[in-house]
């Protein structure tokens, strides 16, 4: 067991996206990294330096969120194209499209058992999906502005969400009701997540702050302001003792939650993988041997209680600044295999360009990322020969085939299936719109009923006042009238 806390070192850097990297997730089981980008592609990187990377085409706009399933055999992505895609991260590049949102999908996340997905969208809704049934289940609709992020609790009984309405909401997944609402931000709430035990949630804001709440007592436990720009995302360490956050200030910061202070700032960014040994040592032993790392301030402000003003945990001079230029292994960028667009659409994406080709054309990939992978479909004879003689070769080179070619379905039957799928997509979106309108109507009815009840109470109060005045006038009249003498 290591007894010395080692400074984080830059393990590898990954280059391959053609635009800004917007999201990333690590798969510890299969040693893979997934990243999404403004270039509309999803990339899967293997940690073996000699292994190839995979670039997946399918989304039609910026990818905003990505996550591996708990088992590591699936990847889910969200996009500004209003869809969510569930990928099988293999050379075939197959994906299932989820459509129910009517605006940009900002985040997507698996439940801890891998059975459900939760998504957050600019249509002001949080939606829950079934992974195995591959369908929409229900919506949560109380946010009044864009929803930026949504996450399941470890036991799956709660959902936390946050958004541009400056609130963080807790939802009960059994009753579908909002059971708590935190409104402690001067700007948009950008990210939210549960700690490993599920007893606390952390939330970040566009006002550069990061807060940790005890959801059992509604207490604000810690409040950090260590970034100089908005915080885009963060993550708890599995031990629960550390938190890592990423910001628009181009830094990644590591917080020690037990000491309540910033301990590392990591600089410079593309897609970087850092190595630490935080989970391989006894924490108390390290503190006893590294007294110089202990904050001179009182140890963590765990007694800060809402709504009493929290103590700010700001950047201290004891924090260690680490630049990747010092420890960068300078590994060469891996060869990238480009995997065609989903097999269930008529548009094939090749080398990053969407070409409106007939559905019978082959969506192929090449082991050489610089090789053009166009497949020209030169008549039935050449197509038949290529299927008979090049089937095995196609598998070796990572070729993937449309649904018709892989299952020998007639072309007209395949076209009918595509039309049915399109109609189902339209129906799904229509149902989603109707659901939102019904929710709005229900809210307006509740508001009308509430206003009517207030009016009735006011009218009844006025009637009571009027009657009281009449009784008092009668009494005054009786007491002031002259008494008849005998």
């Amino acid at each position: 067991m290591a007894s010395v806390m080692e400074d984080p070192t830059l393990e590898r850097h990954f280059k391959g996206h053609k635009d800004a990297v917007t999201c990333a997730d690590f798969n510890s089981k299969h040693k893979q990294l997934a990243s999404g980008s403004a270039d509309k592609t999803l990339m899967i990187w293997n940690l073996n330096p000699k292994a190839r990377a995979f670039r997946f085409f399918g989304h039609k706009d910026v990818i905003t969120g990505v996550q591996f399933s708990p088992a590591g055999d699936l990847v889910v992505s969200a996009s500004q194209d209003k869809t969510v895609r569930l990928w099988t991260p293999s050379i075939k590049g197959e994906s299932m499209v989820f459509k129910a949102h009517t605006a940009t999908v900002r985040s997507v996340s698996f439940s801890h058992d891998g059975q459900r997905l939760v998504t957050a969208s600019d249509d002001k809704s949080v939606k829950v999906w079934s992974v195995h049934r591959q369908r929409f289940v229900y919506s949560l609709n109380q946010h009044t502005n864009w929803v930026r992020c949504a996450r399941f609790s470890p036991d799956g009984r709660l959902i936390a969400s946050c958004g541009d309405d400056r609130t963080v909401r807790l939802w009960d997944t059994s009753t579908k009701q909002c059971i708590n609402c935190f409104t402690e931000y001067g700007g948009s709430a950008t990210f939210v997540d549960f700690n490993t035990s599920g007893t606390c949630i952390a939330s970040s804001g566009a006002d550069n702050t990061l807060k940790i709440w005890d959801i059992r007592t509604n207490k604000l436990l810690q409040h950090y302001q260590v970034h100089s720009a908005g915080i885009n995302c963060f993550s708890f360490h599995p031990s629960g003792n550390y938190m890592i956050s990423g910001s628009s200030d181009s830094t990644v910061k590591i917080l020690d939650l037990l000491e309540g202070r910033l301990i590392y700032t990591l600089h410079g960014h593309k897609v970087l993988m850092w190595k630490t040994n935080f989970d391989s040592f006894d924490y108390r032993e390290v503190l006893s041997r590294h007294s110089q790392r202990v904050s001179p301030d009182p140890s963590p402000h765990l007694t800060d209680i809402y709504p009493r003003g929290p103590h700010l945990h700001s950047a201290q001079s004891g924090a260690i600044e680490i630049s990747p230029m010092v420890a960068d292994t300078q590994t060469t960028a891996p060869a990238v295999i480009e995997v065609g667009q989903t097999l269930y659409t008529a548009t094939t994406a090749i080398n990053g360009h969407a070409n409106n080709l007939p559905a019978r054309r082959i969506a192929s990939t090449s082991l050489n990322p610089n090789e053009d992978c166009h497949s020209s479909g030169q008549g039935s004879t050449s197509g038949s020969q290529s299927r008979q003689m090049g089937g095995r070769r196609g598998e070796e080179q990572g070729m993937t085939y449309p649904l018709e070619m892989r299952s020998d379905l007639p072309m007209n039957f395949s076209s009918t299936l595509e039309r049915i799928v399109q109609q189902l997509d339209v129906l799904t979106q229509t149902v989603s719109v109707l659901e939102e309108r019904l929710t709005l109507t229900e809210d307006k009815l509740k508001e009308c009923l509430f206003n009517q009840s207030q009016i009735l109470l006011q009218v009844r109060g006025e009637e009571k006042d009027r009657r009281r005045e009449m009784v008092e006038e009668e009494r005054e009249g009786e007491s002031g009238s002259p008494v008849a003498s005998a």
Side-chain angles (χ1 to χ4, degrees), residues 56 73-75 86-96 339:
F56 297 94
D73 57 339
L74 297 172
V75 179
L86 190 64
W87 305 82
T88 302
S90 66
I91 192 68
K92 294 182 179 180
E94 297 176 339
S95 66
M96 176 60 65
V339 182

Side-chain angles (χ1 to χ4, degrees), residues 18 53-55 57 336-340 350-352 364-366 369 373:
K18 301 174 183 179
F54 292 85
R55 180 183 288 116
F57 295 92
V336 177
I337 299 176
E338 298 193 344
V339 182
I350 300 177
N351 285 338
S364 63
T365 62
S366 171
C373 300

Side-chain angles (χ1 to χ4, degrees), residues 121-136:
S121 170
D122 286 2
D123 62 11
K124 306 178 187 178
S125 73
V126 174
K127 294 186 184 294
V128 175
W129 314 74
S130 170
V131 173
H132 293 293
R133 294 183 181 179
Q134 298 177 347
R135 67 180 182 87
F136 165 73

Side-chain angles (χ1 to χ4, degrees), residues 298-352:
S299 66
H301 306 288
L302 297 177
T303 58
D304 292 341
I305 300 176
Y306 175 84
R308 188 173 64 192
H311 299 283
L312 284 178
H313 299 268
S314 57
Q316 301 176 14
S317 58
I320 299 176
E321 305 276 336
I322 297 179
S323 170
M325 298 306 295
V326 177
D328 194 343
T329 58
Q330 296 299 327
T331 53
T332 58
V336 177
I337 299 176
E338 298 193 344
V339 182
Q341 193 171 347
T342 177
L343 306 180
Y344 302 99
T345 63
T347 302
T348 303
I350 300 177
N351 285 338

